[in-house]
Amino acid sequence: MRRLVAARLLAPASHARLRLRGAAATTAAAPVSHSGIATHVLPPSARSTATWRCRPRPSQDHLPAQKRQIHLTTPLSQDHPPSSSPSPSPPSTTTTTGSAPPPPPPLLDEDGKLDSAAGVFSNLPFRFDTGIALFAKRTPRPFPPPYLSPPSGSFSDPLSTHDRSRDRRRRRAYVGGHLIQGLTNGDDAVFASDCFVCANDGVGAWSTRPRGHAGLWARLILHFWATALFEDAAREGASYRPDPVACLQRAYEQTIEATGPPNDWQGTTTAAGAQLHYRRRRRNPDHTDDNDKGTTTATTTTTTQKPLEGQTSDGNAAAEGEGDDVEPLLYVTNLGDSQVMVVRPSTREVVYKSTEQWHWFDCPRQLGTNSPDTPRNCAVVDEVPIREGDVVLAMSDGVIDNLWAHEIADKVSESVESWRRRRQRVLAAVAEGDHDDDDDDRDGIQFVAEELMEAAKTIALDPFAESPFMEHAIEEGLASVGGKLDDISVVAAICRRNDR
């Protein structure tokens, strides 16, 4: 169970395995209450003699949203990202004059879910085929009123919800009369569409609080985030350029409003999402194009551009006949310790992974009650050029605390290869007339997600396994052994040419 963030972060929260030496071991901790959350803070005398260690990290409480362009000159095969980080860019400011027209509502399918296939992203040159695999360490708590049932449409509607019992069994939940997007997994929440995948990890310590519901916070932020992305794309049309941090900030504010009085539900969550877009392929005149060579070296990009990436000089999207001149571009947004990773199965390499954000060990940056973190100040955006066939993973810490990066890459690559061999056998059987071609790419990527989830689950349930969480805990001076039992959420997406 991870710890909550105290208001203003006065000191690290108490830990069951935290050991102090000298006089600090006998000094009582003074409780400090912040909005009903009691946090034990050691007195100055105790903190000065404590042997608790924290990895030094620069404070990011007041930094603007960071936007980085990732240039994949070499594959990222090591488990830990490089220590160097680019300087943050100033936040973009948008001035509005007068009253702006309301954004058009996003398109929904017959089940009330965001429909990217028939909606605003249907004309993009690339798409995601997605699969989701989930394992909850305990049964998810049901959402409380008023989110559990849809509101009454009129005074003539029956007060009984017996006729909606089927929706209850399917765990349908509503906010503002709209179906909450995504899925709940314990305290986690996940979302998958043709253009956007996301994994939010709610902080489970809120389950011990009377008004705490981290799973609700994780799901609502995910819902409003995905809805904001679709609304922006519908409003801007051909000139659309992703701004995921602005959408996440809007989702954060809407979640505060939705969980505030008179509802008053508290919680915190991390957020990690990847949005698929595109840009014009840049060619280095001194080198052969990377896609022609088949290597992992990427062409170095420039920071000054006249047209927007993936658009022509007049601001419109690339013409349909220019599909070969564009390449997929991934906008990765992260706040906390959930992670987005890009695996290239053809070479079994991790070509990108997001960097985790911590206040201190086992206390990640998080959005919600009592936390000083906000998307505008703390979220980091990476622009990552990828290729067709790359697998994008959005994962909660239940995966990365139990599997090292190279283990994830190996498992994903093995699963993709096994899926392709099965596909070849199916096609051969179809050619001979012995089988119907009912196999689909979405079934294959679903298999990849399930295999990765099972691998993480095996380590999480093994009390004698070696795990990344155990290694990091020992580095902090804490006794730990075996895997970390936690909610395991995997959203796997493979990049495809959108030929539908």
Side-chain angles (χ1 to χ4, degrees), residues 382-405:
D382 292 338
E383 298 179 5
V384 186
I386 61 175
R387 300 180 188 174
E388 295 178 55
D390 285 353
V391 176
V392 180
L393 303 169
M395 307 170 290
S396 65
D397 67 333
V399 180
I400 61 176
D401 280 343
N402 290 295
L403 297 175
W404 280 277

Side-chain angles (χ1 to χ4, degrees), residues 102-117:
L107 296 179
L108 305 178
D109 61 15
E110 58 183 8
D111 292 328
K113 298 180 180 180
L114 290 173
D115 187 6
S116 53

